[in-house]
Amino acid sequence: MIRLTELRLPLDHPPEALRAAVLARLGVADAALRSLQVFRRGYDARNPRAIMLVYTLDLDVAEEAALLARHADDPRLGPAPETQYRFVARAPEGRPRPIVIGAGPCGLLAALVLAQMGFRPIILERGQAVRQRTKDTWALWRRGVLTEESNVQFGEGGAGTFSDGKLYSGIKDPRFYGRKVLTEFVKAGAPEEILYLSKPHIGTFRLVTMVESIRAEIESLGGEYRFGTRVEDLLIETDGDGTRHLRGVVLAGGETLAADQVVLAIGHSARDSFAMLRDRGVYLEAKPFSLGIRIEHPQSLIDRARFGPNAGNKALGAADYKLVHHGRNGRSVYSFCMCPGGRVVAATSEAGRVVTNGMSQYSRAEFNANAGMVVGISPADYPGDVLAGVEFQRRWESLAFEAGGGGYCAPVQLVGDFLAGRASTGLGEIEPSYKPGVTPTDLARCLPDFAVAAMREALPEFARQIPGFAREDAVMTGVETRTSSPIRIRRGFDFQSLNTRGLYPAGEGAGYAGGILSAGVDGIRVAEALALAATGQPIPREMSRGAEAALAYG
């Protein structure tokens, strides 16, 4: 197979034009092209009046070597890389079962790959199975009733279940782990288009059925799930030379599970677990994150700004955006987790606090577009204990709860009022999507001063890129605080904790991922490292390179 990249065709080209363009590009007869498979399809919308589809294709051609020799100077044509996933080990007989803490994207993929290698993992999830979790989450959205152990943050599927279901990322992935993630999702019921679209997404409802399907496969391979099971402590044994070894976990009910290999995929909101890890001496460090609000516009406004006369074209779908501004006060303001045709949702996991997030269904057919508009925060903003970032987040979440008037209503402000520095007293044409309700107010009550100043500077700049972005009645809803984990659980090149052997920090909560795809990829990496250690094999150099590098946010 050979791979052809950057093949560009007009947006509304007929199906047969693709094959014709390949033949012309290669300079071969039709009979020489035995098969054609779309590996990736994106679009170039820099000129909204002449949007182009951009293809990456895998081709089976006659006389492949001769063709590649003729095109040796073409950087966009070469051998297709091997993307099929291959397991690194098989579980040895009598090996103790590993434990996976957390059933979000990272924990799910780690458990799935371990199960496929024969390790029969035990998955401990503090939240509920996804169907019950959905009911609990809707209780907050509809009635203002919070279940602290079953919500947007905690439960089967992780925080990504109640999101846009984005499946793309900026991570480096030379071993094509992302392809393994997407392939498993398709097996579990995701549409096959996620394998080739440049910005694939699934949406909440499809994610629900997918995680159930993945659970069924893990269980069929000998894995075991325990829902409503919070890990309260770690059993750590210290050798005479000071080396610390994990020997098991203690559950909230007092039960002890022995294990010498534990994947820690707890997510970015398991604040009590962070405190437990600190108290047990596991090496942690504070890390940057971001804080801000969600901003809503009519989706039609974003479509027109991005696609011009091609807005509404089915091949393009609902438009997204990605914006960044570097403020005069040294703060970066950027869009985060943009959800086309979606809604702003209540995402707290603690009583008396308001947290927002964004969500879309697969259709992305709702009226509003929303995105986080967030400002970078560094450990210098919250000096103190390694968990000072958690308290920093809690402070603004509590102030947002007060500004919203209680009952988990969220504070909102119109962009025009925010720019003018006055409290909002009503709403405009744009109806806020946040439930259980909103309270017009002044968002400066629940945001740091430096964030308010940077966002006021950024809004007019964003409007230069997307006309109407700073329209008077665009709705800002506070607060967005859970952009990423405020800590990193450092690990070495063997993917184990720097000072606790057998503990494998993974995913968003450990500071090594940001989004469904990158979290799933990290879960696979950690599962492989665990399997190699269990079978006495060294970790290859190409695997270890990614162990300590924090992955780019997806």
Side-chain angles (χ1 to χ4, degrees):
M1 298 287 285
I2 63 174
R3 177 160 293 176
L4 175 62
T5 64
E6 287 290 317
L7 183 69
R8 303 164 68 87
L9 290 172
L11 176 61
D12 290 317
H13 71 79
E16 61 272 15
L18 183 58
R19 185 178 181 90
V22 171
L23 296 175
R25 176 74 172 272
L26 300 182
V28 299
D30 185 81
L33 180 58
R34 293 191 285 246
S35 71
L36 177 159
Q37 181 178 352
V38 177
F39 182 80
R40 182 77 72 238
R41 191 192 76 193
Y43 59 79
D44 181 349
R46 287 176 293 182
N47 181 354
R49 295 186 175 277
I51 295 175
M52 302 293 286
L53 294 180
V54 184
Y55 290 91
T56 296
L57 305 165
D58 286 343
L59 312 172
D60 182 7
V61 297
E63 300 182 0
E64 177 182 306
L67 187 144
L68 288 174
R70 289 201 309 272
H71 293 270
D73 295 332
D74 187 345
R76 296 184 176 88
L77 188 67
E82 175 58 64
T83 61
Q84 183 174 351
Y85 183 76
R86 301 184 189 283
F87 297 106
V88 299
R90 293 293 303 174
E93 291 292 332
R95 177 71 192 175
R97 300 171 73 181
I99 290 174
V100 176
I101 305 176
C106 180
L108 282 181
L109 267 297
L112 178 62
V113 171
L114 287 171
Q116 290 171 339
M117 289 189 287
F119 281 88
R120 302 186 304 114
I122 300 171
I123 301 95
L124 306 178
E125 170 55 56
R126 67 188 296 168
Q128 296 299 316
V130 69
R131 297 283 172 177
Q132 180 59 49
R133 178 192 179 202
T134 300
K135 294 177 182 178
D136 295 335
T137 299
W138 277 96
L140 174 61
W141 296 349
R142 291 172 172 167
R143 305 193 305 276
V145 176
L146 172 67
T147 302
E148 292 190 59
E149 292 291 326
S150 181
N151 46 61
V152 166
Q153 306 298 345
F154 299 142
E156 185 181 21
T161 304
F162 298 98
S163 71
D164 187 44
K166 296 178 184 66
L167 297 175
Y168 51 93
S169 174
I171 63 172
K172 295 180 179 179
D173 187 19
R175 294 170 66 86
F176 297 99
Y177 292 131
R179 191 72 175 178
K180 168 69 169 173
V181 174
L182 297 179
T183 300
E184 293 295 345
F185 283 0
V186 170
K187 283 171 54 181
E192 288 196 17
E193 67 186 26
I194 70 171
L195 293 173
Y196 64 84
L197 291 181
S198 62
K199 294 183 177 181
H201 76 283
I202 301 176
T204 292
F205 288 161
R206 293 197 178 201
L207 279 165
V208 167
T209 58
M210 280 171 45
V211 298
E212 288 181 320
S213 179
I214 292 172
R215 185 210 313 164
E217 179 173 355
I218 291 171
E219 290 177 331
S220 73
L221 294 170
E224 176 187 345
Y225 275 76
R226 296 193 187 186
F227 293 109
T229 303
R230 180 170 55 85
V231 173
E232 194 167 75
D233 205 353
L234 302 180
L235 299 177
I236 298 173
E237 181 181 279
T238 304
D239 287 349
D241 64 0
T243 303
R244 292 156 46 98
H245 297 271
L246 186 66
R247 297 305 184 204
V249 300
V250 180
L251 308 183
E255 181 184 358
T256 297
L257 295 180
D260 58 8
Q261 291 181 305
V262 174
V263 176
L264 191 67
I266 54 179
H268 58 41
S269 292
R271 292 164 167 176
D272 51 358
S273 296
F274 296 159
M276 177 271 289
L277 293 167
R278 176 200 59 192
D279 295 345
R280 284 291 162 262
V282 175
Y283 188 91
L284 311 178
E285 64 184 17
K287 64 173 279 293
F289 58 95
S290 298
L291 177 150
I293 52 89
R294 304 294 300 185
I295 187 166
E296 289 188 89
H297 302 88
Q299 180 62 46
S300 57
L301 181 151
I302 307 301
D303 290 344
R304 290 193 302 271
R306 293 281 283 116
F307 298 149
N310 290 296
N313 189 295
K314 290 184 178 180
L316 298 172
D320 62 4
Y321 58 80
K322 190 172 185 178
L323 303 169
V324 64
H325 172 71
H326 302 288
R328 289 189 296 271
N329 65 358
R331 302 287 177 167
S332 293
V333 185
Y334 63 98
S335 58
F336 172 80
C337 187
M338 194 273 160
C339 296
R343 66 180 71 173
V344 181
V345 298
T348 187
S349 56
E350 296 181 336
R353 298 189 171 97
V354 163
V355 179
T356 64
N357 195 10
M359 185 184 85
S360 297
Q361 300 301 345
Y362 175 71
S363 64
R364 289 177 166 174
E366 298 190 52
F367 290 110
N368 289 356
N370 79 81
M373 181 176 171
V374 297
V375 179
I377 306 293
S378 77
D381 294 312
Y382 50 89
D385 179 83
V386 70
L387 298 186
V390 169
E391 296 309 315
F392 188 86
Q393 292 173 327
R394 282 172 167 160
R395 174 188 176 188
W396 305 110
E397 294 167 9
S398 296
L399 289 171
F401 183 86
E402 294 174 11
Y408 299 100
C409 291
V412 300
Q413 190 172 15
L414 303 186
V415 164
D417 294 330
F418 179 79
L419 291 173
R422 61 175 178 260
S424 290
T425 57
L427 302 171
E429 293 182 3
I430 301 173
E431 181 178 351
S433 58
Y434 178 95
K435 302 296 180 185
V438 300
T439 302
T441 185
D442 182 359
L443 287 176
R445 295 173 55 188
C446 48
L447 291 169
D449 291 343
F450 62 78
V452 172
M455 290 162 64
R456 283 177 177 156
E457 183 182 318
L459 278 163
E461 297 299 321
F462 291 166
R464 290 185 175 91
Q465 299 177 59
I466 299 180
F469 195 89
R471 60 182 277 178
E472 293 276 319
D473 64 342
V475 177
M476 303 170 68
T477 305
V479 288
E480 171 102 22
T481 57
R482 311 285 180 92
T483 54
S484 68
S485 178
I487 62 124
R488 178 169 292 117
I489 309 172
R490 288 285 301 277
R491 64 193 187 193
F493 291 112
D494 58 2
F495 292 83
Q496 298 182 56
S497 163
L498 284 184
N499 70 343
T500 307
R501 306 298 299 166
L503 184 66
Y504 291 80
E508 288 206 38
Y512 292 98
I516 294 172
L517 186 64
S518 63
V521 166
D522 203 51
I524 295 173
R525 289 180 172 191
V526 167
E528 289 187 342
L530 185 156
L532 291 171
T535 53
Q537 302 179 63
I539 294 178
R541 180 183 296 272
E542 62 271 18
M543 279 181 58
S544 66
R545 288 194 186 105
E548 185 49 17
L551 301 181
Y553 291 155

